Amino acid sequence: MLRHKLLHPQISAAIAAAGHHSTILIADGNYPSSSKRGPRAELISLNLMPGVPTCNQVLEALLSAIPVEAIQTMQTETSGPYALDGDPPVWEDYRKTMQNEKLDLELVPIDKWAFYEAVSTDDHVLTIQTADQQRYANILLTVGVRMD
């Protein structure tokens, strides 16, 4: 029996095979997961219906199961139809989840095109496509080292 929150068998298998520096993308419902992922990355679609599940729900499950040493988000645009004046509300949800898991990390926003490049590397092992409809909800986790 598992002792963490993550129950999904395919996701569990993918993270069990991942190693230090592997990356896992939790993608929102708008992310182009068919074309923007690593060459060997597995794609698992959890998009049941709009908003279910959210990226933050998947983050909570993953943080209960794996060590994470870095978390990157897609930087918001400052002009155009998707522009925001500050951090998207979903980032505060991520910070609360990270705090609840006692993870002492900061969210690191990177340029949209650099984010796509980071996801397109050989280190990218898994994309979990959610149905989250919040803007800038994509989050890229870098797997750390188990220290216990």
Side-chain angles (χ1 to χ4, degrees), residues 35-63:
S35 61
K36 300 293 185 200
R37 68 175 193 260
R40 295 187 304 258
E42 184 173 355
L43 172 61
I44 296 177
S45 298
L46 294 182
N47 43 347
L48 181 62
M49 63 183 190
V52 179
T54 66
C55 290
N56 192 53
Q57 289 169 325
V58 174
L59 177 64
E60 181 181 348
L62 286 176
L63 291 181

Side-chain angles (χ1 to χ4, degrees), residues 13-133:
I15 64 171
H20 188 216
H21 298 299
S22 295
T23 61
I24 299 168
L25 173 64
I26 305 171
D28 64 29
N30 294 307
Y31 187 84
S33 59
S34 63
S35 61
K36 300 293 185 200
R37 68 175 193 260
R40 295 187 304 258
E42 184 173 355
L43 172 61
I44 296 177
S45 298
L46 294 182
N47 43 347
L48 181 62
M49 63 183 190
V52 179
T54 66
C55 290
N56 192 53
Q57 289 169 325
V58 174
L59 177 64
E60 181 181 348
L62 286 176
L63 291 181
S64 76
I66 58 170
V68 172
E69 68 180 23
I71 300 179
Q72 296 174 310
T73 57
M74 189 181 287
Q75 191 171 47
T76 60
E77 295 179 18
T78 56
S79 63
Y82 309 116
L84 294 177
D85 284 336
D87 288 352
V90 68
W91 291 7
E92 188 55 34
D93 295 339
Y94 295 156
R95 290 181 182 106
K96 287 177 186 172
T97 298
M98 292 162 57
Q99 183 179 26
N100 289 345
E101 291 294 328
K102 298 177 179 35
L103 191 61
D104 188 23
L105 292 175
E106 297 290 324
L107 294 177
V108 178
I110 60 174
D111 172 77
K112 176 169 91 172
W113 303 111
F115 189 91
Y116 287 150
E117 286 177 28
V119 172
S120 298
T121 68
D122 288 338
D123 289 331
H124 181 225
V125 297
L126 176 64
T127 292
I128 303 168
Q129 181 86 58
T130 72
D132 204 323
Q133 296 184 308

